[in-house]
Amino acid sequence: WKVTREFLENEGFLEVETPTLEVTTGGAEATPFKTHHNDFDMDVFLRISVGELWQKRLMAGGFPKTFEIGRVYRNEGTSMEHLQEFTNMEFYWSYADYNDVMELVKKLYRKIAQDVFGKTAFTYKNHNFDLASDWARIDYSEEIKKQTGLDIQKASDDEIKDRLMELKITYEGSNRERLVDTLWKYCRKNISGPAFLINHPKLVAPLAKSIADSDKVQMFQPIIGGSEIGRGYSELND
C-alpha cells in the first residue's frame, strides 16, 4: 500500500477519505452489513466500495484525480478470494478513458511487484507469469466460447444452465447476468496472464460507456494467476 500511495501521488492523484457509514450503498454488487445510528434513529450500512459515490462528487466539484485506500465490508461468503472485511483502493481520473487507465494499472502492478518483491516473474499454483511481459487483451465473449463452446451472444438462459451443469459448476441465482458471470469465472481460472479482460457485454457492466456500434462496453479487468485483481471502466456521465 505504501508503494501504491507513492505511485498515485507521483501521478498527480490526491488522497482522500470518505465516509464508511452510508445511507445508500454504492459502487459494487454486494450485500452490506447493516447497523443503526442511534442519534438520528436511522439504519445505515457499512460501505461495500471505497467511496465510489463520494469520489464522483469530488470529480464534479473540481478534483480531477483522487484515490482512497481503505476498509470495505461485504456480508457474504468466504473463500480464497473473498473476505467480509478487506482493504481496497479505488481511484477516479477525469478526462481519461479505460485505455488510459489500463496503461496506468499496468505500470502500478509492475512497480508493486518490483519494489515489494524485487522481481516481476512469479509462479502461483499452476500459473507462471511475468508482469514485465506484454499484457494480452482477451475478449470476454470469445474466451468463454473458446473454453466452453458456448456463444453467450446467442445462447438462451436454459442453454447456459445446461452447460454449467455439464461442467459441474454450482451457481446462485438464475438471472442472466449471474449465469454469464458464473460461466466466465469458470474460464478465468485457466488464464495465467498478465492480461486485460475487455469487451464485456452491457449485461454485466450497465454503468460503463458503450463501445460504438456494439453491445459491449469500455471496461477491463486485470487477470493474473487465474484471478481478477482489479476492475475499471469509462463511466457513463450523461
Side-chain angles (χ1 to χ4, degrees), residues 29 157 161 172-181 203:
E29 184 182 6
D157 290 2
K161 290 177 183 178
E172 296 180 3
S174 58
N175 68 69
R176 189 171 182 85
E177 187 273 336
R178 281 293 188 187
L179 294 173
V180 170
D181 187 59
L203 178 72

Side-chain angles (χ1 to χ4, degrees), residues 35 40 68 149 153 162 179:
T35 187
F40 294 160
E68 181 173 3
Q153 305 295 329
D162 289 343
L179 294 173

Side-chain angles (χ1 to χ4, degrees), residues 42-174:
M42 61 188 292
D43 289 338
V44 292
F45 305 94
L46 276 69
R47 67 183 182 182
I48 58 176
S49 70
V50 190
E52 171 167 335
L53 301 182
W54 298 100
Q55 290 199 61
K56 282 181 168 67
R57 291 183 178 187
L58 287 167
M59 289 179 70
F63 295 88
K65 300 171 85 171
T66 62
F67 77 96
E68 181 173 3
I69 298 171
R71 303 295 273 184
V72 294
Y73 310 88
R74 300 185 179 187
N75 197 5
E76 299 183 323
T78 305
S79 73
M80 288 291 290
E81 296 182 333
H82 297 88
L83 289 174
Q84 286 78 20
E85 177 184 1
F86 58 96
T87 300
N88 202 8
M89 184 276 286
E90 193 160 338
F91 69 80
Y92 277 79
W93 183 3
S94 300
Y95 315 115
D97 67 10
Y98 75 139
N99 287 302
D100 300 312
V101 177
M102 276 189 274
E103 289 304 310
L104 186 74
V105 166
K106 184 165 58 176
K107 285 171 56 180
L108 170 61
Y109 287 8
R110 285 172 173 171
K111 182 167 179 58
I112 291 171
Q114 190 62 56
D115 287 12
V116 177
F117 299 99
K119 61 181 182 178
T120 58
F122 299 88
T123 297
Y124 173 71
K125 295 184 177 179
N126 60 331
H127 298 287
N128 296 298
F129 53 88
D130 187 345
L131 301 181
S133 65
D134 291 335
W135 289 48
R137 295 197 176 190
I138 298 172
D139 183 279
Y140 188 100
S141 300
E142 289 179 5
E143 187 65 25
I144 291 177
K145 186 175 182 180
K146 174 181 160 185
Q147 290 200 38
T148 70
L150 202 63
D151 185 344
I152 61 170
Q153 305 295 329
K154 300 177 181 178
S156 66
D157 290 2
D158 287 339
E159 287 174 323
I160 296 176
K161 290 177 183 178
D162 289 343
R163 193 73 183 106
L164 289 170
M165 288 183 62
E166 292 170 7
L167 295 169
K168 296 181 171 58
I169 302 171
T170 57
Y171 60 92
E172 296 180 3
S174 58

